[in-house]
Amino acid sequence: MPELPEVEVSRLGIAPYLEGAQITGIIVRDRRLRWPVEEALSDAVGQTVMAVNRRAKYLIIELQSGGRIILHLGMSGKLRVLDAAVPPIKHDHIDIVLASGKCLRFNDPRRFGACLWQAPGHEIPTQLSHLGPEPLTDDFTADRLALLSRGKQVAVKNFIMDNAVVVGVGNIYANEALFMAGIDPRRKAGKVSATRYQQLTGAIKEVLAKAIQQGGTTLKDFTQTDGNPGYFKQSLSVYGRAGEPCIACETPIESLTIGQRNTFYCPQCQR
DNA sequence: CGGGACACCTGCCTGC
DNA sequence: TGCAGGCAGGTGTCCC
């Protein structure tokens, strides 16, 4: 479910229901997420939601008190807005109930996701305090990649998936961006030229922006019971296509493991 | 310190 | 049909 584009699509989907709404209740059915859900989360009850923002793959629900509810979807998390009276299904761990009678419902089978509480006047949780720049802003530049990669022995694929370098580049889009830029994912980060970092930076921005746009289709029926995505599948050039012909040169796409993650590339186009 | 392995957890798909 | 095994879109932690 959650690469950055899907988190952003979720944000766009839930924001209209949440912004300006009053929270009348919070139901926690299972506290055992990535980190235990704090009891103090209930302090959000009675608060008005001022905005729903995103930082990296975290969704941040800003409250009038200055407090924040911070959600992360992990590997399998999903958010839906539905009538609060709808009976919960398996893995519906948290409801944020609104005065409108609707609720934001967090479902996460694997429980790698998180729901953090930042009390008013408190520091942002440490998970969010060491994050690199957002990929779709001007803070993310080729110069930054070139600078940070100096002398680095890690594979360039791992490098761009490092949240301290740039946030929001998950496994799928790391593969796709490296294909677009014609860079072998195994290449050491320190051995990628400035010119090619220029191309890679553009590729990351392009692939993420495009995926968010395509997510807009999913957005349309976001509140329906199960609008299941899969929207980006047709657009993928290499991810999940081992053995299939490269869209550019027809050489079979190869797969291997880098940093315990499945990696796909065209041995002809990517050097 | 950089780099890499591992951990967390459930569902689903494959192959015997 | 059943079951074991492997794999999955993330990321903090631990160990060398």
Side-chain angles (χ1 to χ4, degrees), chain A residues 7 24 28 49 107 126 141-142 157 175 191 203 214 269:
Chain A
V7 177
T24 54
V28 180
V49 176
N107 179 290
T126 53
T141 63
K157 183 179 177 237
N175 280 295
K191 296 283 189 181
Q214 293 185 13
C269 298

Side-chain angles (χ1 to χ4, degrees), chain A residues 12-101:
Chain A
L12 293 168
I14 68 174
Y17 294 95
L18 292 182
E19 288 175 355
Q22 191 190 23
I23 296 173
T24 54
I26 291 187
I27 300 168
V28 180
R29 300 187 188 82
D30 195 339
R31 298 193 175 274
R32 300 171 304 157
L33 300 184
R34 183 75 152 84
W35 298 281
V37 180
E38 291 178 46
E39 302 278 352
L41 178 64
S42 62
D43 291 354
V45 174
Q47 286 294 310
T48 298
V49 176
M50 305 308 285
V52 181
N53 294 323
R54 179 186 60 73
R55 177 75 176 102
K57 293 171 190 164
Y58 293 90
L59 286 173
I60 304 177
I61 300 172
E62 311 274 358
L63 306 180
Q64 195 167 25
S65 62
R68 289 166 158 169
I69 300 170
I70 302 173
L71 298 169
H72 195 290
L73 302 179
M75 294 273 268
S76 58
K78 290 184 185 67
L79 290 171
R80 287 173 301 156
V81 173
L82 34 66
D83 200 294
V86 174
I89 59 174
K90 201 172 181 183
H91 308 305
D92 278 345
H93 304 312
I94 298 175
D95 282 3
I96 296 174
V97 186
L98 307 174
S100 62

Side-chain angles (χ1 to χ4, degrees), chain A residues 217-239:
Chain A
T217 315
T218 311
L219 189 58
K220 196 168 165 249
D221 44 43
F222 189 80
T223 54
Q224 289 183 11
T225 330
D226 61 348
N228 95 25
Y231 60 88
F232 52 76
K233 265 186 185 163
Q234 308 91 319
S235 312
L236 296 177
S237 299
V238 288
Y239 187 85

